[in-house]
């Protein structure tokens, strides 16, 4: 039976690298995959999943209006898919997560979703909340805080490195905008 997997972590934990490795493993064995990435993520080339260590692969972009189930069904009709992989899964809508669950349950295709669990205020993203609710397997990818403890939080910083506590939930950025911290150092940075 196919499953819906949710691999979650703080920023810079290697989520995209893990996704690209999983994709490679399937393709190396002659199996077809379908990759998705959020259209809102403009840090790299459009329609590309890229890791900080230099790996990349083309992907189908999704936004809130994308019917992921229809896109997978169309591709699966042409080429039998062995796996669907989703990067930046925190940006999925609840309905899209429901579609991914149906792809695993009814379509028999494993779905591997990778994303952030929480935003810069420690709040769940709607897509992540639904993945936590529906996922058959919830796998934390570990990252490290500056103190050596497990990083679980994403601190948003301004151009000078000062913590930002308020703003829109979604603001795209990398190491220039976010720092992965343990909860203790996250709270200290916001209250300091």
């Amino acid at each position: 039976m196919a499953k819906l997997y949710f691999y979650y972590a703080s920023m810079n934990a290697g989520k995209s690298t893990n996704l690209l490795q999983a994709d490679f493993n399937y393709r190396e064995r002659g199996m077809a995959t379908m990759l998705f990435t959020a259209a809102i993520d403009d840090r790299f080339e459009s329609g590309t999943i890229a890791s900080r260590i230099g790996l990349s692969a083309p992907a189908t972009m999704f936004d809130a209006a994308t019917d992921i189930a229809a896109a997978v069904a169309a591709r699966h009709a042409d080429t039998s898919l062995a796996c669907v992989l989703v990067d930046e899964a925190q940006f999925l809508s609840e309905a899209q997560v429901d579609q991914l669950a149906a792809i695993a349950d009814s379509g028999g295709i494993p779905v591997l979703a990778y994303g952030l669990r929480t935003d810069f205020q420690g709040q769940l993203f709607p897509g992540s909340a639904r993945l936590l609710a529906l996922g058959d397997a919830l796998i934390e990818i570990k990252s490290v805080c500056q103190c050596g403890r497990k990083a679980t939080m994403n601190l948003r910083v301004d151009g000078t490195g000062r913590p930002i506590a308020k703003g829109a939930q979604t603001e795209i950025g990398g190491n220039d905008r976010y720092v992965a911290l343990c909860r203790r150092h996250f709270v200290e940075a916001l209250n300091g």
Side-chain angles (χ1 to χ4, degrees):
M1 179 175 158
K3 293 183 180 181
L4 171 59
Y5 298 84
F6 181 35
Y7 294 85
Y8 63 92
S10 61
M11 295 285 294
N12 304 318
K15 296 177 297 298
S16 297
T17 302
N18 283 331
L19 180 151
L20 293 167
Q21 179 65 54
D23 175 57
F24 176 81
N25 291 345
Y26 276 98
R27 289 185 299 103
E28 183 180 45
R29 289 160 184 82
M31 296 182 224
T33 61
M34 186 169 188
L35 280 62
F36 287 91
T37 191
I40 193 172
D41 187 358
D42 60 1
R43 294 175 294 161
F44 308 105
E45 184 179 338
S46 181
T48 301
I49 296 173
S51 73
R52 292 176 295 120
I53 64 170
L55 303 173
S56 65
T60 301
M61 294 189 300
F62 71 86
D63 60 22
T66 303
D67 185 336
I68 292 177
V72 169
R75 176 80 58 85
H76 192 57
D78 289 338
T79 305
S80 181
L81 292 174
C83 187
V84 171
L85 300 106
V86 182
D87 199 29
E88 303 296 343
Q90 70 271 11
F91 297 129
L92 293 164
S93 69
E94 291 182 2
Q96 288 168 327
V97 174
D98 291 346
Q99 290 176 358
L100 294 175
I103 289 166
D105 294 344
S106 301
I109 304 169
V111 177
L112 285 62
Y114 295 78
L116 299 173
R117 184 179 55 141
T118 59
D119 65 14
F120 77 107
Q121 294 177 321
Q123 301 299 314
L124 291 171
F125 284 95
S128 300
R130 192 68 177 153
L131 283 162
L132 289 167
L134 294 184
D136 297 301
L138 308 173
I139 302 101
E140 183 178 30
I141 300 171
K142 307 289 193 292
S143 185
V144 180
C145 177
Q146 61 197 13
C147 69
R149 292 176 61 195
K150 181 174 69 171
T152 58
M153 308 301 287
N154 303 299
L155 180 70
R156 184 182 289 171
V157 295
D158 65 16
T160 63
R162 289 185 307 222
I164 297 174
K166 296 183 181 185
Q169 183 178 47
T170 300
E171 185 173 312
I172 302 301
N175 292 347
D176 60 326
R177 300 291 296 150
Y178 294 94
V179 179
L181 297 173
C182 67
R183 184 180 57 244
R184 177 180 151 211
H185 285 112
F186 174 80
V187 171
E188 285 177 3
L190 288 180
N191 295 330

